[in-house]
Amino acid sequence: MGRGKYKNKPTGQRQFSSREDLHMLYLLHIFIKLRTTYISPKTRVFGRGELVMDPKKIARRYLRSDFFVDLIATLPLPQIVIWFIIPAFKSSSSGHTHNAPVLIIVLLQYVPRLYLIFPLSSQIIKANGVVTKTAWAGAAYNLILYSLHVS
């Protein structure tokens, strides 16, 4: 994910590569959530309780809760649209393309990404108090959040 691999690529290829990198990060997020222990809600008292470390129980809990949203956010929908749906529309229509269904498909992926990004941001702020100490760093942080949402 360094700058070197994007140096001599056209803009479309750079954006495509950055989206692939982002999809890999979402896959890593899924893997981490499949391995992250949790405190059993049945034994939780004042923030303490039994730590569940059984991989099967962790996976079962994750698959029942946020897995579907994470999977939708991870799927490479823009690439699928570009490779398969747009060529099918162009070959089936007589001279014009139908952009509305394509736009809806691509935009639907952003809802789960927002669902993932903004709670994570609020957890960071809750844990640290603030994300940044200067306005410039805060603007950079918000720009990174926006780029994660858009790409």
Side-chain angles (χ1 to χ4, degrees), residues 120-148:
L120 178 63
S121 175
S122 65
Q123 287 176 356
I124 291 171
I125 292 170
K126 183 179 176 183
N128 296 332
V130 293
V131 175
T132 63
K133 293 183 180 181
T134 64
W136 285 103
Y141 174 74
N142 286 327
L143 181 62
I144 290 170
L145 273 181
Y146 176 75
S147 67
L148 285 174

Side-chain angles (χ1 to χ4, degrees), residues 22-37 54-56 58-60 62-63 66-71 74 116:
L22 186 62
H23 292 299
M24 290 299 149
L25 287 174
Y26 280 118
L27 280 174
L28 179 65
H29 172 75
I30 288 175
F31 179 76
I32 290 171
K33 285 186 87 170
L34 278 170
R35 301 289 176 210
T36 303
T37 61
D54 181 26
K56 290 181 182 178
I58 294 169
R60 190 176 313 123
Y62 175 57
L63 291 173
D66 292 335
F67 177 73
F68 183 72
V69 174
D70 291 344
L71 181 66
T74 304
L116 295 175

